[in-house]
Amino acid sequence: ALYTIYCAVCHGDKGDGKGILVEREKILGIPSYADAGRAITEGSVYHVQYYGLNAMGSYASQTTIEERWMITHYVMQLKDQLEGNPAREFVVEAEENLMPPVNAEQQMEVQETEPEA
């Protein structure tokens, strides 16, 4: 559902670069996730969602950290489907959040230490 809301309008429901805005020629040149030379990784997908790239703006203010990782997994799943690779397993890591707080989504805990004498 998150991919449909934020991504499919340009990238297409299948990740083939044929979203509704491309079909209506409002945006040109959206590549498929499986295009040769398009070496996207989980990290690069997350990075582009957070910072934006070229004409695509950032989605950091519209999505949470967890939502961006769910979208990232789905994009990689679409890439695998387009390339005929087996599906990836979505593994939720430990409860500890390894990402620092962004956009005041969470409070960062600061541990105070005694200065060395």
Side-chain angles (χ1 to χ4, degrees), residues 6 10-11 47-62:
Y6 297 110
C10 295
H11 293 278
H47 182 88
V48 169
Q49 289 177 79
Y50 191 85
Y51 292 104
L53 180 68
N54 299 327
M56 180 180 153
S58 169
Y59 284 87
S61 64
Q62 292 108 313

PDB file of all heavy atoms in Angstrom, residues 6 10-11 47-62:
ATOM      1  N   TYR A   6       3.130   6.195  -2.686  1.00  0.00           N
ATOM      2  CA  TYR A   6       4.266   7.092  -2.901  1.00  0.00           C
ATOM      3  C   TYR A   6       5.058   6.846  -4.178  1.00  0.00           C
ATOM      4  O   TYR A   6       5.719   7.761  -4.673  1.00  0.00           O
ATOM      5  CB  TYR A   6       5.227   7.012  -1.710  1.00  0.00           C
ATOM      6  CG  TYR A   6       4.617   7.479  -0.422  1.00  0.00           C
ATOM      7  CD1 TYR A   6       4.333   6.579   0.591  1.00  0.00           C
ATOM      8  CD2 TYR A   6       4.300   8.815  -0.214  1.00  0.00           C
ATOM      9  CE1 TYR A   6       3.766   7.003   1.788  1.00  0.00           C
ATOM     10  CE2 TYR A   6       3.725   9.246   0.968  1.00  0.00           C
ATOM     11  CZ  TYR A   6       3.469   8.331   1.968  1.00  0.00           C
ATOM     12  OH  TYR A   6       2.902   8.756   3.141  1.00  0.00           O
ATOM     13  N   CYS A  10       4.742   7.060 -10.518  1.00  0.00           N
ATOM     14  CA  CYS A  10       5.827   7.262 -11.485  1.00  0.00           C
ATOM     15  C   CYS A  10       6.461   5.935 -11.912  1.00  0.00           C
ATOM     16  O   CYS A  10       6.670   5.687 -13.091  1.00  0.00           O
ATOM     17  CB  CYS A  10       6.915   8.153 -10.904  1.00  0.00           C
ATOM     18  SG  CYS A  10       6.381   9.840 -10.576  1.00  0.00           S
ATOM     19  N   HIS A  11       6.798   5.089 -10.931  1.00  0.00           N
ATOM     20  CA  HIS A  11       7.563   3.867 -11.201  1.00  0.00           C
ATOM     21  C   HIS A  11       6.713   2.711 -11.704  1.00  0.00           C
ATOM     22  O   HIS A  11       7.266   1.724 -12.174  1.00  0.00           O
ATOM     23  CB  HIS A  11       8.322   3.445  -9.938  1.00  0.00           C
ATOM     24  CG  HIS A  11       9.396   4.408  -9.565  1.00  0.00           C
ATOM     25  ND1 HIS A  11      10.638   4.411 -10.145  1.00  0.00           N
ATOM     26  CD2 HIS A  11       9.399   5.425  -8.667  1.00  0.00           C
ATOM     27  CE1 HIS A  11      11.378   5.375  -9.620  1.00  0.00           C
ATOM     28  NE2 HIS A  11      10.643   6.017  -8.720  1.00  0.00           N
ATOM     29  N   HIS A  47      18.258   5.487   0.565  1.00  0.00           N
ATOM     30  CA  HIS A  47      18.910   6.791   0.426  1.00  0.00           C
ATOM     31  C   HIS A  47      18.106   7.727  -0.484  1.00  0.00           C
ATOM     32  O   HIS A  47      17.896   8.897  -0.156  1.00  0.00           O
ATOM     33  CB  HIS A  47      20.330   6.596  -0.131  1.00  0.00           C
ATOM     34  CG  HIS A  47      21.104   7.853  -0.279  1.00  0.00           C
ATOM     35  ND1 HIS A  47      21.862   8.371   0.733  1.00  0.00           N
ATOM     36  CD2 HIS A  47      21.239   8.705  -1.319  1.00  0.00           C
ATOM     37  CE1 HIS A  47      22.441   9.487   0.332  1.00  0.00           C
ATOM     38  NE2 HIS A  47      22.070   9.715  -0.917  1.00  0.00           N
ATOM     39  N   VAL A  48      17.639   7.205  -1.603  1.00  0.00           N
ATOM     40  CA  VAL A  48      16.872   8.025  -2.543  1.00  0.00           C
ATOM     41  C   VAL A  48      15.534   8.440  -1.931  1.00  0.00           C
ATOM     42  O   VAL A  48      15.090   9.574  -2.114  1.00  0.00           O
ATOM     43  CB  VAL A  48      16.677   7.290  -3.888  1.00  0.00           C
ATOM     44  CG1 VAL A  48      15.675   8.010  -4.772  1.00  0.00           C
ATOM     45  CG2 VAL A  48      18.011   7.147  -4.599  1.00  0.00           C
ATOM     46  N   GLN A  49      14.900   7.558  -1.170  1.00  0.00           N
ATOM     47  CA  GLN A  49      13.654   7.942  -0.499  1.00  0.00           C
ATOM     48  C   GLN A  49      13.909   9.063   0.506  1.00  0.00           C
ATOM     49  O   GLN A  49      13.103   9.973   0.642  1.00  0.00           O
ATOM     50  CB  GLN A  49      13.054   6.757   0.259  1.00  0.00           C
ATOM     51  CG  GLN A  49      12.486   5.676  -0.607  1.00  0.00           C
ATOM     52  CD  GLN A  49      11.997   4.551   0.264  1.00  0.00           C
ATOM     53  OE1 GLN A  49      10.910   4.650   0.833  1.00  0.00           O
ATOM     54  NE2 GLN A  49      12.780   3.494   0.378  1.00  0.00           N
ATOM     55  N   TYR A  50      15.030   8.965   1.193  1.00  0.00           N
ATOM     56  CA  TYR A  50      15.322   9.932   2.257  1.00  0.00           C
ATOM     57  C   TYR A  50      15.779  11.285   1.710  1.00  0.00           C
ATOM     58  O   TYR A  50      15.318  12.324   2.156  1.00  0.00           O
ATOM     59  CB  TYR A  50      16.385   9.356   3.204  1.00  0.00           C
ATOM     60  CG  TYR A  50      16.526  10.182   4.452  1.00  0.00           C
ATOM     61  CD1 TYR A  50      15.680   9.960   5.525  1.00  0.00           C
ATOM     62  CD2 TYR A  50      17.466  11.186   4.556  1.00  0.00           C
ATOM     63  CE1 TYR A  50      15.777  10.715   6.675  1.00  0.00           C
ATOM     64  CE2 TYR A  50      17.574  11.952   5.695  1.00  0.00           C
ATOM     65  CZ  TYR A  50      16.725  11.711   6.757  1.00  0.00           C
ATOM     66  OH  TYR A  50      16.815  12.474   7.887  1.00  0.00           O
ATOM     67  N   TYR A  51      16.680  11.261   0.712  1.00  0.00           N
ATOM     68  CA  TYR A  51      17.266  12.502   0.205  1.00  0.00           C
ATOM     69  C   TYR A  51      16.705  12.952  -1.140  1.00  0.00           C
ATOM     70  O   TYR A  51      16.870  14.105  -1.519  1.00  0.00           O
ATOM     71  CB  TYR A  51      18.783  12.363   0.082  1.00  0.00           C
ATOM     72  CG  TYR A  51      19.468  12.242   1.409  1.00  0.00           C
ATOM     73  CD1 TYR A  51      19.940  11.017   1.857  1.00  0.00           C
ATOM     74  CD2 TYR A  51      19.636  13.355   2.231  1.00  0.00           C
ATOM     75  CE1 TYR A  51      20.557  10.899   3.087  1.00  0.00           C
ATOM     76  CE2 TYR A  51      20.257  13.242   3.460  1.00  0.00           C
ATOM     77  CZ  TYR A  51      20.720  12.012   3.882  1.00  0.00           C
ATOM     78  OH  TYR A  51      21.330  11.897   5.108  1.00  0.00           O
ATOM     79  N   GLY A  52      16.094  12.040  -1.898  1.00  0.00           N
ATOM     80  CA  GLY A  52      15.641  12.370  -3.237  1.00  0.00           C
ATOM     81  C   GLY A  52      16.769  12.183  -4.236  1.00  0.00           C
ATOM     82  O   GLY A  52      17.935  12.037  -3.865  1.00  0.00           O
ATOM     83  N   LEU A  53      16.435  12.205  -5.524  1.00  0.00           N
ATOM     84  CA  LEU A  53      17.430  12.079  -6.591  1.00  0.00           C
ATOM     85  C   LEU A  53      16.838  12.645  -7.869  1.00  0.00           C
ATOM     86  O   LEU A  53      15.721  12.290  -8.257  1.00  0.00           O
ATOM     87  CB  LEU A  53      17.808  10.603  -6.795  1.00  0.00           C
ATOM     88  CG  LEU A  53      18.831  10.325  -7.883  1.00  0.00           C
ATOM     89  CD1 LEU A  53      20.204  10.886  -7.485  1.00  0.00           C
ATOM     90  CD2 LEU A  53      18.953   8.829  -8.135  1.00  0.00           C
ATOM     91  N   ASN A  54      17.588  13.525  -8.503  1.00  0.00           N
ATOM     92  CA  ASN A  54      17.144  14.174  -9.736  1.00  0.00           C
ATOM     93  C   ASN A  54      15.768  14.828  -9.521  1.00  0.00           C
ATOM     94  O   ASN A  54      15.607  15.613  -8.603  1.00  0.00           O
ATOM     95  CB  ASN A  54      17.143  13.193 -10.903  1.00  0.00           C
ATOM     96  CG  ASN A  54      18.527  12.648 -11.187  1.00  0.00           C
ATOM     97  OD1 ASN A  54      19.530  13.324 -11.007  1.00  0.00           O
ATOM     98  ND2 ASN A  54      18.588  11.410 -11.629  1.00  0.00           N
ATOM     99  N   ALA A  55      14.779  14.480 -10.326  1.00  0.00           N
ATOM    100  CA  ALA A  55      13.460  15.107 -10.206  1.00  0.00           C
ATOM    101  C   ALA A  55      12.639  14.554  -9.040  1.00  0.00           C
ATOM    102  O   ALA A  55      11.637  15.148  -8.656  1.00  0.00           O
ATOM    103  CB  ALA A  55      12.671  14.922 -11.503  1.00  0.00           C
ATOM    104  N   MET A  56      13.071  13.428  -8.470  1.00  0.00           N
ATOM    105  CA  MET A  56      12.341  12.842  -7.350  1.00  0.00           C
ATOM    106  C   MET A  56      12.780  13.514  -6.057  1.00  0.00           C
ATOM    107  O   MET A  56      13.951  13.516  -5.706  1.00  0.00           O
ATOM    108  CB  MET A  56      12.623  11.336  -7.256  1.00  0.00           C
ATOM    109  CG  MET A  56      11.902  10.670  -6.107  1.00  0.00           C
ATOM    110  SD  MET A  56      12.281   8.917  -6.057  1.00  0.00           S
ATOM    111  CE  MET A  56      12.051   8.627  -4.314  1.00  0.00           C
ATOM    112  N   GLY A  57      11.819  14.074  -5.361  1.00  0.00           N
ATOM    113  CA  GLY A  57      12.115  14.716  -4.089  1.00  0.00           C
ATOM    114  C   GLY A  57      12.191  13.719  -2.944  1.00  0.00           C
ATOM    115  O   GLY A  57      11.933  12.531  -3.105  1.00  0.00           O
ATOM    116  N   SER A  58      12.545  14.219  -1.785  1.00  0.00           N
ATOM    117  CA  SER A  58      12.642  13.399  -0.581  1.00  0.00           C
ATOM    118  C   SER A  58      11.250  13.037  -0.061  1.00  0.00           C
ATOM    119  O   SER A  58      10.316  13.830  -0.148  1.00  0.00           O
ATOM    120  CB  SER A  58      13.394  14.182   0.495  1.00  0.00           C
ATOM    121  OG  SER A  58      13.302  13.541   1.735  1.00  0.00           O
ATOM    122  N   TYR A  59      11.145  11.842   0.494  1.00  0.00           N
ATOM    123  CA  TYR A  59       9.918  11.407   1.153  1.00  0.00           C
ATOM    124  C   TYR A  59      10.128  11.250   2.658  1.00  0.00           C
ATOM    125  O   TYR A  59       9.314  10.648   3.340  1.00  0.00           O
ATOM    126  CB  TYR A  59       9.417  10.088   0.544  1.00  0.00           C
ATOM    127  CG  TYR A  59       8.757  10.302  -0.798  1.00  0.00           C
ATOM    128  CD1 TYR A  59       9.507  10.325  -1.965  1.00  0.00           C
ATOM    129  CD2 TYR A  59       7.395  10.521  -0.891  1.00  0.00           C
ATOM    130  CE1 TYR A  59       8.916  10.546  -3.193  1.00  0.00           C
ATOM    131  CE2 TYR A  59       6.791  10.741  -2.116  1.00  0.00           C
ATOM    132  CZ  TYR A  59       7.557  10.748  -3.258  1.00  0.00           C
ATOM    133  OH  TYR A  59       6.960  10.980  -4.471  1.00  0.00           O
ATOM    134  N   ALA A  60      11.217  11.810   3.172  1.00  0.00           N
ATOM    135  CA  ALA A  60      11.552  11.672   4.589  1.00  0.00           C
ATOM    136  C   ALA A  60      10.496  12.289   5.494  1.00  0.00           C
ATOM    137  O   ALA A  60      10.241  11.781   6.587  1.00  0.00           O
ATOM    138  CB  ALA A  60      12.913  12.293   4.875  1.00  0.00           C
ATOM    139  N   SER A  61       9.872  13.364   5.066  1.00  0.00           N
ATOM    140  CA  SER A  61       8.871  14.000   5.917  1.00  0.00           C
ATOM    141  C   SER A  61       7.502  13.332   5.832  1.00  0.00           C
ATOM    142  O   SER A  61       6.666  13.533   6.696  1.00  0.00           O
ATOM    143  CB  SER A  61       8.742  15.486   5.557  1.00  0.00           C
ATOM    144  OG  SER A  61       8.255  15.627   4.244  1.00  0.00           O
ATOM    145  N   GLN A  62       7.279  12.516   4.807  1.00  0.00           N
ATOM    146  CA  GLN A  62       5.982  11.849   4.653  1.00  0.00           C
ATOM    147  C   GLN A  62       5.974  10.426   5.189  1.00  0.00           C
ATOM    148  O   GLN A  62       4.913   9.846   5.378  1.00  0.00           O
ATOM    149  CB  GLN A  62       5.565  11.805   3.173  1.00  0.00           C
ATOM    150  CG  GLN A  62       5.254  13.159   2.598  1.00  0.00           C
ATOM    151  CD  GLN A  62       6.337  13.592   1.629  1.00  0.00           C
ATOM    152  OE1 GLN A  62       7.515  13.485   1.928  1.00  0.00           O
ATOM    153  NE2 GLN A  62       5.933  14.100   0.479  1.00  0.00           N
TER     154      GLN A  62
END
